[in-house]
Structure formats: C-alpha cells, structure tokens
Amino acid sequence: MNEPIIKFDKVVKRFGDVTVLDALDFEVGKGEKVTIIGPSGSGKSTVLRILMTLETINEGVIHVAGKPLWHQYKDDALVPASQEHLREMRKEMGMVFQQFNLFPHMTVRRNVTEAPIHVLGLSKEKANQRAEEYLELVGLSDQADKFPSKLSGGQQQRVAIARALAMRPNIMLFDEPTSALDPELVGEVLTVIQRLAQEHDLTMLLVTHEMQFAKQISDRVCFFDKGRIVEEGPPEQVFTEPREERTQEFLKAFL
Ligand code: ADP
Ligand code: MG
C-alpha cells in the first residue's frame, strides 16, 4: 500500500447504547480503490459519513492526508477540531450518496458550480468552465440547462458525481451509488465510476453490492460486519476464496 491517505485508529462510534464502529482500524492508501461490502447495519455508511464530517466519533483518531480529521493539535496536544479545521478537511473529500441529493431548484450547471463558487471562491466564469469539464466527463454536456427532475435517475447520479468532482477532492466516497436506480440505469453510472478509477489517481472508497463491479475496479475489498473488518484482501481472494465463514455466508446471497 502507498502511504495511507485515510487512517482510522481504534475508532469507536456509538448511537445511544449501540456501538456501530467497534475500535475500528482501517487504512486506505493514496490512490487506492477500496470497496467496502457487508450486511445492512454493519457500519459502512457510518464510515463514509464520519469522513465527510456528517457524524462525529466517540473515541479514537482519524487522519486524512496526514492531518487529524476530528481533532487538531494545540500545544502538541490533540484537541477537538474547530469548525474552521473541519471546513478545511472537508475539501479533501467528495461524496456521492445513494439518493443523489441534487438541489432540485437549480439547473444541472448550477448544481455543479454552487460549491466551487461559494466554498472555494471561484469566479462564476471559472466555475462554469469547471462544470463544463466535469459534465463532459460524465457525458452530460448537453443537459446543463435542465433541472434535475427532467433527468433520469442515472443522469441525476452522474450530475452528482460531476458536482463532487468539481471540488477537485483527493478522495471520492461513494455510498451505494447505484442502489436507488432502476436496473437498466445502473450500467451508465458504473461506467463513469470505472472510468474515474482507471484514468485518475483519485483515492476511491466505495460501498456497493455490485460484486462483479467491485471485483473489476477494486485494489482491495473489505468485508464489514458489526462495525469491524472481518476480512480484507484483493478482490480475487475475498470473492473467490473468502477465509472467514461470515464472509462466505454473506457472499452466498450474491451468487
Ligand atoms: P450500513 O451502511 O452498513 O447499512 P450504517 O452505517 O448506516 O450501516 O448503520 C450502522 C448502524 O448504525 C445501524 O444499526 C443503524 O441503525 C445505526 N445508525 C446509523 N445512523 C444512525 C443515527 N443517525 N441514529 C441512530 N442510529 C443510527
Ligand atoms: Mg449504508
């Protein structure tokens, strides 16, 4: 593995009495494409949401690009992160959700330019150029003036990918990006993600149930259960000869 760009050290996350991440140790190398698989409720989304700073952690430390995420150093001591530190750290990451989460009252173009203008301070002109670049990458240059409701689910998800990329993050997080799509629209979204994986040195962390796809694009697959990594390894190994019984049981459902 390259030097880690994401590093979880003994991270504990609880919701009330429920321990969702149980002293999780987890690393992703720079440029690595990692897929997380596992049963519903095993903590997959929580890992991504914590990275996006949408959820806090209870214990442990996370580093992203060498800097603590939920903490910062003050006089050599780790203290809780300030809002300003969190804002800076967020720029490392872009996330694509199961439910595309586009702004419904904005055109496709404005969906993509909104954060570059308001978070990064780009001029409208520069942001529009970027929008063109990334809409082209996802094959939607001709849809820029439409509103999301006029697009298919697959197109909306591709806009969501362009929107995340327009912030030029170093890390892209995908949380079941095709789970809400009609089967005939899954392929176009997977094709875009696959192209990203092949042609860009982005670090990618992807939660999916598309096992064939995971096999094709991942450098490493992690099987989560009950907030821990039960098994991880290259896709050929985890998918074809899983060592752990729980992994075998889980994968049976996808044969
Ligand atoms: P997965 O994505 O693997 O299906 P999640 O990370 O979404 O799992 O959830 C892990 C566990 O945490 C589940 O038991 C879920 O019910 C619980 N959980 C997630 N978010 C919240 C929340 N905001 N409040 C309470 N419980 C939550
Ligand atoms: Mg989930």
Side-chain angles (χ1 to χ4, degrees), residues 15 20 39-46 55:
F15 287 110
V20 175
S40 176
S42 57
K44 306 181 300 295
S45 294
T46 301
E55 299 284 357

Side-chain angles (χ1 to χ4, degrees), residues 41 43-46 98 175-176 207:
K44 306 181 300 295
S45 294
T46 301
Q98 186 173 338
D175 193 359
E176 299 195 33
V207 175

